[in-house]
Amino acid sequence: MDRFIIRGGRPLRGEIVIGGAKNAGLKLMVAGLLTAERLVLTNVPRIADIATMRDLLIQHGVAVEDVNGDGSAYAVGGEITSTEAPYDIVSKMRASILVLGPLLARCREARVSLPGGCAIGTRPVDMHLKGLEALGAEIRLENGYINARAPEGLIGERIILPFASVGATENLLMAATLAKGRTEIVNAAREPEIGDLVACLNKMGARISGSGSGTLVIDGVEALQGAEHRIMPDRIECGTYACAAGITGGDVRLVGGRLDDLGAVVRTLEEAGVEVTEDEKGLRVRRTGALRGVDIMTEPYPGFPTDMQAQFMALLSVAEGASMVTETIFENRFMHVPELNRMGARINVHGSSAIIRGVHALSGAPVMATDLRASFSLILAGLAAHGETILSRVYHLDRGYEAVERKLAACGANIERVRE
Ligand SMILES: CC(=O)N[C@H]1[C@@H](OP(=O)(O)OP(=O)(O)OC[C@H]2O[C@@H](n3ccc(=O)[nH]c3=O)[C@H](O)[C@@H]2O)O[C@H](CO)[C@@H](O)[C@@H]1O
Ligand SMILES: C=C(OP(=O)(O)O)C(=O)O
């Protein structure tokens, strides 16, 4: 298991190129299951989750061609020879559940392992299943698997989601593209990654309107065609490196970053004393004065994203004054707190809220990553801390961030990966 060794105290200065979005790329690869033709995706991030999704699609029998031979573009497509998503792949990556809707829509059957919980919460999939049942699927849970069939094909329906779930919206959206008639998804999630998926599906011949509005209307078609699509930039990677510039008192250009996708994150950075400006290349993030405490509550988009909560917790640990961070999306997303406290942070958790009392400085320590974003919050703390931080269980980070050590070192960070 690899480790990172970080020696803190250097302000980051330079350029970081933002890669394609993990949370868009994974669903766009799944969209390849909806057509027998080639779906070509470019700006693919080179991360472990994409490799896992590639394994899953290959298990379904479709071809996944590495177009440039370097993992930056994939062509997905072909006949589906297996409708089973096995436990060993689904348990590695929860986004695997998204094959359920497309397999049902195209093959009229699917057998997908139940994903189970993960470090940040129990994460049930009841809304995915109820929505597919509303579209006419018969669903049985047996031996840890979801057995789903729709012998006559799926039929459009009006579905009201009790909560704007990202995954449920995406699963139902993809299933509905090949259903008979009109489907309406009310209280649909509005995350920009869903907008990217809709744009790609429409290029493939789907008939979807209402993107970004909270109600998606899908008129089913007989078949989808091939297309080419560039994956949107990763707004969470961008926000994460913006925090790196902020916590180290640096000045960093985030090439390809987009202000529009970052809304609440940029407003919070500015409130905390970090300046963000946009030009034709991307974003410039710099801090000239002290960091100030702010209050944050995570919410579905356009609110403050839960996937940025851990990184802000590191930033606010060294801000002047107190901050309160309330997590409303996942019930167990404070696993980074005890690790940050080991580095000298003063954070108390009360239920779904954390009170952070800013300290002057953090001190390096051996720490352990528990999930993807928690891992990066510890890197951020390490970049700002005095002395050496050793971060173990780096595989969590490799799921979703490409070339972390290269991108940070190019801006002057002292960070090294020790391979074991
Ligand atoms: C691969 C991917 O894109 N992952 C993102 C996606 O996860 P994911 O799609 O899993 O997140 P959801 O929006 O579905 O989940 C939000 C909340 O709803 C609950 N829920 C969800 C579905 C369901 O059927 N029943 C239910 O109770 C979940 O347990 C969670 O507490 O959106 C999250 C919220 O922005 C992000 O943190 C994840 O990074
Ligand atoms: C929670 C995340 O991802 P996943 O849904 O794949 O676990 C994330 O990207 O922060």
Side-chain angles (χ1 to χ4, degrees):
M1 277 197 275
D2 292 0
R3 286 177 299 158
F4 274 138
I5 300 180
I6 303 150
R7 293 176 191 90
R10 295 186 180 184
L12 297 191
R13 292 184 200 288
E15 264 190 17
I16 293 175
V17 176
I18 301 306
K22 164 178 94 78
N23 288 349
L26 291 172
K27 327 317 168 42
L28 289 162
M29 286 179 77
V30 173
L33 289 175
L34 290 165
T35 176
E37 297 180 12
R38 270 162 63 97
L39 172 64
V40 179
L41 298 172
T42 60
N43 199 32
V44 178
R46 296 179 193 83
I47 53 176
D49 271 9
I50 291 282
T52 305
M53 186 55 83
R54 186 182 185 199
D55 291 345
L56 180 57
L57 295 181
I58 290 170
Q59 136 81 29
H60 292 309
V62 302
V64 185
E65 184 199 337
D66 183 352
V67 179
N68 303 321
D70 62 1
S72 65
Y74 283 129
V76 182
E79 291 312 317
I80 294 169
T81 56
S82 163
T83 53
E84 174 156 338
Y87 178 66
D88 60 335
I89 300 186
V90 180
S91 60
K92 257 199 218 168
M93 185 184 63
R94 292 184 43 89
S96 312
I97 185 72
L98 291 165
V99 301
L100 180 61
L103 288 173
L104 253 179
R106 186 153 158 227
C107 308
R108 302 187 171 191
E109 57 163 45
R111 184 166 190 269
V112 177
S113 170
L114 277 159
C118 72
I120 61 176
T122 46
R123 305 183 76 174
V125 291
D126 53 317
M127 286 186 248
H128 301 235
L129 303 186
K130 282 200 187 102
L132 291 169
E133 279 174 338
L135 297 181
E138 294 161 23
I139 294 180
R140 271 186 310 115
L141 303 183
E142 212 170 45
N143 306 121
Y145 275 77
I146 303 160
N147 292 308
R149 49 195 292 275
E152 309 302 324
L154 296 173
I155 297 161
E157 185 53 88
R158 185 162 196 262
I159 300 165
I160 303 174
L161 293 178
F163 177 84
S165 152
V166 171
T169 301
E170 292 164 337
N171 227 336
L172 299 172
L173 169 71
M174 287 193 278
T177 58
L178 296 179
K180 283 190 203 96
R182 174 168 285 194
T183 300
E184 252 183 88
I185 307 175
V186 181
N187 197 25
R190 291 183 282 161
E191 269 66 6
E193 292 76 16
I194 297 176
D196 207 31
L197 178 62
V198 168
C200 177
L201 291 168
N202 280 343
K203 280 186 209 167
M204 294 166 73
R207 292 176 54 207
I208 306 163
S209 58
S211 183
S213 74
T215 299
L216 292 169
V217 179
I218 306 114
D219 286 305
V221 296
E222 283 286 317
L224 295 182
Q225 301 100 51
E228 188 168 331
H229 186 80
R230 183 176 168 82
I231 300 172
M232 67 177 281
D234 196 315
R235 67 190 166 104
I236 305 298
E237 186 192 27
C238 187
T240 302
Y241 286 118
C243 288
I247 200 170
T248 62
D251 184 351
V252 175
R253 284 184 183 276
L254 301 171
V255 177
R258 300 196 305 214
L259 215 48
D260 271 0
D261 297 337
L262 278 164
V265 170
V266 168
R267 284 195 297 281
T268 313
L269 280 169
E270 288 182 334
E271 247 186 276
V274 182
E275 185 184 300
V276 185
T277 50
E278 189 173 37
D279 62 23
E280 63 290 344
K281 271 180 81 176
L283 303 182
R284 179 178 180 189
V285 184
R286 61 189 153 156
R287 173 161 71 85
T288 44
L291 285 170
R292 297 184 291 269
V294 292
D295 293 345
I296 294 173
M297 185 184 289
T298 63
E299 287 173 321
Y301 191 86
F304 185 93
T306 173
D307 292 352
M308 285 301 305
Q309 181 257 103
Q311 301 89 314
F312 267 78
M313 195 86 99
L315 186 81
L316 298 173
S317 297
V318 289
E320 278 176 4
S323 308
M324 181 155 97
V325 173
T326 304
E327 172 60 57
T328 73
I329 307 293
F330 292 108
E331 71 273 18
N332 191 30
R333 211 170 193 184
F334 284 141
M335 303 280 280
H336 39 287
V337 169
E339 299 300 290
L340 289 172
N341 283 349
R342 293 188 62 251
M343 298 179 69
R346 287 180 61 205
I347 309 173
N348 286 309
V349 174
H350 304 274
S352 60
S353 293
I355 309 284
I356 304 155
R357 293 183 180 82
V359 295
H360 283 297
L362 298 171
S363 68
V367 285
M368 205 172 273
T370 48
D371 69 76
L372 173 58
R373 310 301 169 185
S375 310
F376 218 116
S377 81
L378 299 172
I379 292 190
L380 294 173
L383 291 173
H386 296 306
E388 190 174 272
T389 296
I390 302 171
L391 174 69
S392 46
R393 300 197 180 166
V394 164
Y395 56 86
H396 288 293
L397 197 82
D398 291 334
R399 271 188 53 210
Y401 288 96
E402 178 178 337
V404 174
E405 63 275 34
R406 183 173 54 70
K407 291 186 181 188
L408 286 172
C411 291
N414 187 334
I415 177 167
E416 132 192 39
R417 181 187 288 256
V418 180
R419 295 191 189 274
E420 282 176 2

